[in-house]
Amino acid sequence: MLAIALILLPDFSLILLGLLLRRRFAYPAEFWGHLERLVYYLMFPALLFRAVSRTELDIAPALDMFIAGFGFSVVGIVLGVLGRWLLKPDGRVFASCVQTGFRFNTYIGLAVVDRLSGHAGIASFAVLIGVMVPWVNAVSVWFLARQGGASVWRELAKNPLIVATVSGFIVSLFGLPLPGEVNHVLDLLAAAALPLGLLSVGAGLRAEGLRASLPLVNYFTFVKLVAVPAAAWGLALLLGLKGLYFQSVLVLAALPTASSAYILAVRMGGDGRTVATIITVNVFVAMVTLPLWLGLAL
């Protein structure tokens, strides 16, 4: 497990570097906000589209992997909803925070599988997130739209991660060729997505509301980093997953919650401060829990 921690050290170092740059250098808050939106709306969709469109989709062998993915995400959703009855937060706060129990930070996930298994790991992981990203984003948008009165379908249609993933599936499914110049641009954007994404994760870490929201933070951190990976591990064993499929499921489940959860909460009128606090605690706790869970997959 120490060896796994050392493999992940460069990625977590970039997160900490982003935090250091925000705290110690005179970059205005607007800079980091623009960078995060640039990664979220352009670079990361390019990375997802590139990965999914270049992956040969053989659904049958990966079906059990998809079942495990949906299974552990449902565990996160159910436990998230249970938190409303246990902790009784305000409806707006609950709609914002529930997504942190089942969403995942794909920036960190892709960086992790790249270090663990290289291109083969990314291909397997890309197929899984190609299915899971639209699903978890749809559920997240539904909770916030239901609370805020927005149109769920309009929000889904505008989500860049869903648009990129579905577009990549279409290109792969029909074997549509892309011009070499387009592929080169996608390669350049994808290459910048992970390091800038990790830096923006670090720069976005906040803990101003930790004391006031400690029960919520503790609960959703436990759900995301303990309960959901445990469910994924059990489902993967039950379904007989092995190799890269087993690794992909456990990596995805054990990741800290998505930093884009904050963007979604703010954009849809939710409680961004509490979500940002949960994300922050998730990232630091995951520096310990992620290597422990990955020790079960290797």
Side-chain angles (χ1 to χ4, degrees):
M1 292 186 186
L2 178 60
I4 297 173
L6 291 175
I7 291 173
L8 303 182
L9 181 61
D11 302 314
F12 282 118
S13 296
L14 275 179
I15 294 173
L16 295 176
L17 178 59
L19 177 61
L20 177 66
L21 289 173
R22 179 181 65 82
R23 292 179 63 89
R24 297 298 181 188
F25 294 87
Y27 293 108
E30 291 79 7
F31 168 82
W32 294 110
H34 290 313
L35 176 62
E36 188 168 17
R37 284 188 289 273
L38 180 65
V39 173
Y40 181 72
Y41 286 101
L42 178 62
M43 294 179 179
F44 193 54
L47 175 63
L48 275 180
F49 175 83
R50 171 179 170 271
V52 174
S53 66
R54 296 181 185 180
T55 301
E56 292 186 9
L57 301 178
D58 193 359
I59 300 299
L63 184 59
D64 286 342
M65 181 173 67
F66 300 151
I67 293 172
F70 281 111
F72 73 66
S73 65
V74 168
V75 170
I77 293 167
V78 170
L79 291 176
V81 172
L82 181 62
R84 182 172 195 178
W85 303 106
L86 293 175
L87 303 174
K88 304 188 185 318
D90 173 78
R92 173 174 163 270
V93 175
F94 164 75
S96 303
C97 294
V98 67
Q99 59 176 321
T100 65
F102 56 87
R103 293 187 69 182
F104 40 82
N105 194 310
T106 322
Y107 303 151
I108 299 175
L110 284 166
V112 167
V113 296
D114 184 37
R115 292 201 168 273
L116 293 177
S117 307
H119 178 73
I122 290 179
S124 173
F125 193 71
V127 171
L128 180 59
I129 63 176
V131 172
M132 294 299 295
V133 164
W135 157 244
V136 298
N137 275 273
V139 176
S140 301
V141 168
W142 182 82
F143 275 112
L144 282 159
R146 182 169 171 267
Q147 179 65 31
S151 167
V152 176
W153 294 110
R154 183 163 53 248
E155 292 296 331
L156 292 179
K158 294 190 300 184
N159 188 288
L161 307 185
I162 294 178
V163 171
T165 304
V166 172
S167 300
F169 268 128
I170 292 172
V171 169
S172 176
L173 182 63
F174 292 100
L176 302 177
L178 295 177
E181 293 80 4
V182 173
N183 279 320
H184 184 60
V185 171
L186 289 173
D187 288 342
L188 292 174
L189 290 172
L194 288 179
L196 291 180
L198 293 174
L199 286 174
S200 66
V201 169
L205 297 181
R206 301 284 191 279
E208 287 87 353
L210 180 59
R211 182 172 297 179
S213 56
L214 193 58
L216 274 173
V217 172
N218 288 339
Y219 181 78
F220 282 106
T221 298
F222 173 82
V223 169
K224 183 66 197 73
L225 299 180
V226 178
V228 168
W233 183 68
L235 285 168
L237 291 179
L238 182 65
L239 293 167
L241 294 179
K242 299 182 184 303
L244 293 177
Y245 286 171
F246 188 100
Q247 175 186 286
S248 295
V249 165
L250 201 54
V251 167
L252 194 70
L255 291 172
T257 196
S259 55
S260 55
Y262 169 78
I263 298 175
L264 184 65
V266 170
R267 189 165 63 83
M268 295 188 66
D271 180 11
R273 190 176 78 157
T274 303
V275 172
T277 304
I278 295 173
I279 292 169
T280 300
V281 174
N282 256 230
V283 168
F284 283 107
V285 174
M287 292 182 184
V288 176
T289 58
L290 185 56
L292 293 176
W293 284 115
L294 292 184
L296 300 174
L298 300 178

mmCIF file of all heavy atoms in Angstrom, residues 141 145 149-156 268:
data_model
loop_
_atom_site.group_PDB
_atom_site.id
_atom_site.type_symbol
_atom_site.label_atom_id
_atom_site.label_comp_id
_atom_site.label_asym_id
_atom_site.label_seq_id
_atom_site.Cartn_x
_atom_site.Cartn_y
_atom_site.Cartn_z
ATOM 1 N N VAL A 141 -28.294 16.670 -11.141
ATOM 2 C CA VAL A 141 -29.100 17.755 -11.698
ATOM 3 C C VAL A 141 -30.556 17.615 -11.259
ATOM 4 O O VAL A 141 -31.228 18.602 -10.946
ATOM 5 C CB VAL A 141 -28.980 17.775 -13.238
ATOM 6 C CG1 VAL A 141 -30.026 18.701 -13.853
ATOM 7 C CG2 VAL A 141 -27.584 18.221 -13.659
ATOM 8 N N ALA A 145 -32.465 20.546 -9.560
ATOM 9 C CA ALA A 145 -33.555 21.125 -10.352
ATOM 10 C C ALA A 145 -34.888 20.973 -9.633
ATOM 11 O O ALA A 145 -35.731 21.869 -9.661
ATOM 12 C CB ALA A 145 -33.605 20.449 -11.723
ATOM 13 N N GLY A 149 -36.604 24.283 -9.035
ATOM 14 C CA GLY A 149 -37.633 24.520 -10.036
ATOM 15 C C GLY A 149 -37.119 24.637 -11.455
ATOM 16 O O GLY A 149 -37.847 25.074 -12.346
ATOM 17 N N ALA A 150 -35.866 24.238 -11.719
ATOM 18 C CA ALA A 150 -35.308 24.309 -13.064
ATOM 19 C C ALA A 150 -35.736 23.087 -13.869
ATOM 20 O O ALA A 150 -36.222 22.104 -13.328
ATOM 21 C CB ALA A 150 -33.781 24.396 -13.000
ATOM 22 N N SER A 151 -35.534 23.162 -15.177
ATOM 23 C CA SER A 151 -35.853 22.043 -16.054
ATOM 24 C C SER A 151 -34.716 21.023 -16.030
ATOM 25 O O SER A 151 -33.581 21.351 -16.381
ATOM 26 C CB SER A 151 -36.074 22.539 -17.491
ATOM 27 O OG SER A 151 -36.092 21.458 -18.389
ATOM 28 N N VAL A 152 -35.028 19.787 -15.622
ATOM 29 C CA VAL A 152 -34.004 18.749 -15.559
ATOM 30 C C VAL A 152 -33.443 18.468 -16.939
ATOM 31 O O VAL A 152 -32.221 18.395 -17.133
ATOM 32 C CB VAL A 152 -34.586 17.449 -14.955
ATOM 33 C CG1 VAL A 152 -33.553 16.334 -14.973
ATOM 34 C CG2 VAL A 152 -35.064 17.706 -13.529
ATOM 35 N N TRP A 153 -34.319 18.342 -17.937
ATOM 36 C CA TRP A 153 -33.855 17.984 -19.276
ATOM 37 C C TRP A 153 -33.011 19.080 -19.892
ATOM 38 O O TRP A 153 -32.026 18.801 -20.583
ATOM 39 C CB TRP A 153 -35.055 17.668 -20.174
ATOM 40 C CG TRP A 153 -35.785 16.452 -19.726
ATOM 41 C CD1 TRP A 153 -37.027 16.396 -19.158
ATOM 42 C CD2 TRP A 153 -35.313 15.098 -19.769
ATOM 43 N NE1 TRP A 153 -37.360 15.104 -18.844
ATOM 44 C CE2 TRP A 153 -36.332 14.284 -19.207
ATOM 45 C CE3 TRP A 153 -34.137 14.502 -20.217
ATOM 46 C CZ2 TRP A 153 -36.202 12.910 -19.096
ATOM 47 C CZ3 TRP A 153 -34.000 13.121 -20.104
ATOM 48 C CH2 TRP A 153 -35.024 12.347 -19.557
ATOM 49 N N ARG A 154 -33.354 20.335 -19.643
ATOM 50 C CA ARG A 154 -32.553 21.435 -20.183
ATOM 51 C C ARG A 154 -31.169 21.454 -19.542
ATOM 52 O O ARG A 154 -30.154 21.666 -20.213
ATOM 53 C CB ARG A 154 -33.271 22.775 -19.955
ATOM 54 C CG ARG A 154 -32.509 23.962 -20.561
ATOM 55 C CD ARG A 154 -33.377 25.197 -20.702
ATOM 56 N NE ARG A 154 -34.039 25.576 -19.470
ATOM 57 C CZ ARG A 154 -35.349 25.505 -19.269
ATOM 58 N NH1 ARG A 154 -36.144 25.040 -20.209
ATOM 59 N NH2 ARG A 154 -35.877 25.879 -18.135
ATOM 60 N N GLU A 155 -31.107 21.209 -18.228
ATOM 61 C CA GLU A 155 -29.818 21.178 -17.547
ATOM 62 C C GLU A 155 -28.957 20.015 -18.037
ATOM 63 O O GLU A 155 -27.743 20.152 -18.196
ATOM 64 C CB GLU A 155 -30.028 21.080 -16.027
ATOM 65 C CG GLU A 155 -30.628 22.316 -15.396
ATOM 66 C CD GLU A 155 -29.725 23.537 -15.522
ATOM 67 O OE1 GLU A 155 -28.496 23.362 -15.571
ATOM 68 O OE2 GLU A 155 -30.264 24.653 -15.588
ATOM 69 N N LEU A 156 -29.579 18.859 -18.277
ATOM 70 C CA LEU A 156 -28.826 17.710 -18.774
ATOM 71 C C LEU A 156 -28.283 17.982 -20.176
ATOM 72 O O LEU A 156 -27.149 17.620 -20.496
ATOM 73 C CB LEU A 156 -29.715 16.467 -18.797
ATOM 74 C CG LEU A 156 -30.151 15.910 -17.443
ATOM 75 C CD1 LEU A 156 -31.051 14.698 -17.639
ATOM 76 C CD2 LEU A 156 -28.941 15.529 -16.604
ATOM 77 N N MET A 268 -26.774 26.348 -10.043
ATOM 78 C CA MET A 268 -28.203 26.064 -9.915
ATOM 79 C C MET A 268 -28.787 26.608 -8.613
ATOM 80 O O MET A 268 -29.848 26.184 -8.171
ATOM 81 C CB MET A 268 -28.434 24.555 -10.025
ATOM 82 C CG MET A 268 -28.067 23.993 -11.389
ATOM 83 S SD MET A 268 -28.544 22.254 -11.618
ATOM 84 C CE MET A 268 -30.339 22.374 -11.585
#
